[in-house]
Amino acid sequence: MLGQDYLWLFFSEYSEISVLALVVSGVVAILVTVADNVFPALMTKKSGGSKYGTVGSVVGLVAGFFMGPLGIILGPFAGAFVGELIFDSSNMKRVFKAALGTLKGFLFGTGLKILTCLIFAWIFVVSLNFD
């Protein structure tokens, strides 16, 4: 198992990473995961969306998990779009703007997660010492 390999690495003589660094990495990973799931709803609201759009983005996010990678990307957008249509279908420009805000929030959260993973990888690779 991959997790066991990392555990072995921590206890090996080749790793110079501290327990504090591992704990901080874990806390940061949890915070980034929460932020990644909250950003679409926040951006919907910031883009002028209603509670219907915010709830729709969350429902779309959950439903998207069962539809593969494309569903995960487009689920929050579609959910916010449908939620805003239910709330007020007379202003399509506002509906689309709110749904687009959801997509922006998703992409921002995903980018934050990718950046965090790259930083973690760099930290753990730099902590190795094979001398």
Side-chain angles (χ1 to χ4, degrees):
M1 237 160 87
L2 191 57
Q4 290 175 339
D5 292 342
Y6 289 132
L7 186 61
W8 170 84
L9 186 61
F10 174 71
F11 288 110
S12 78
E13 61 190 44
Y14 300 116
S15 177
E16 295 180 6
I17 196 159
S18 68
V19 172
L20 178 64
L22 288 175
V23 170
V24 169
S25 297
V27 170
V28 168
I30 290 168
L31 291 174
V32 167
T33 300
V34 169
D36 180 42
N37 290 310
V38 170
F39 276 136
L42 290 177
M43 289 299 291
T44 301
K45 193 164 189 82
K46 186 177 179 182
S47 298
S50 65
K51 285 187 179 183
Y52 286 84
T54 303
V55 170
S57 71
V58 173
V59 171
L61 177 67
V62 172
F65 282 125
F66 300 104
M67 298 178 199
L70 193 57
I72 293 171
I73 294 169
L74 296 179
F77 174 83
F81 191 82
V82 169
E84 290 300 325
L85 280 175
I86 292 170
F87 176 71
D88 178 21
S89 61
S90 64
N91 188 350
M92 287 302 288
K93 186 175 181 179
R94 187 194 61 75
V95 168
F96 185 74
K97 182 180 175 187
L100 193 59
T102 301
L103 182 62
K104 288 178 186 177
F106 173 79
L107 294 176
F108 181 77
T110 301
L112 180 64
K113 202 177 249 186
I114 290 170
L115 179 64
T116 303
C117 287
L118 290 173
I119 291 170
F120 285 169
W122 179 78
I123 289 170
F124 293 122
V125 168
V126 168
S127 75
L128 295 175
N129 184 9
F130 292 110
D131 292 336

